[in-house]
Amino acid sequence: MSTQIKPCPFCGSKDVEAFAQDKDDCHFRSAIVHCHSCDARSAQMVGANKINMAIAAWNKRVGEAAQ
């Protein structure tokens, strides 16, 4: 699984970051990908591989062939 984060699908910015939220942000301590330019966010992921799952969700694009 690739951990490279694609640019934002909404604004095209490359200023995106994957991170696990702390307890103050989310009591489940989920992981998300966040665009710092337009504030878009991926779905929240939980579990042992949550960062990679958030990146995979963010990187999924409609119409692209499955990789």
Side-chain angles (χ1 to χ4, degrees), residues 3-67:
T3 56
Q4 183 175 9
I5 305 171
K6 290 182 179 181
C8 179
F10 303 104
C11 73
S13 174
K14 293 182 180 180
D15 188 13
V16 294
E17 173 187 21
F19 62 94
Q21 301 180 93
D22 63 26
K23 189 175 180 179
D24 291 337
D25 290 334
C26 174
H27 68 276
F28 294 117
R29 296 185 183 167
S30 62
I32 62 169
V33 175
H34 176 241
C35 175
H36 293 285
S37 293
C38 73
D39 209 29
R41 296 166 192 231
S42 71
Q44 294 180 329
M45 300 296 175
V46 295
N49 204 16
K50 61 189 173 188
I51 294 282
N52 287 336
M53 291 179 351
I55 292 170
W58 178 266
N59 285 346
K60 186 175 181 178
R61 301 290 195 263
V62 173
E64 283 186 1
Q67 296 181 11

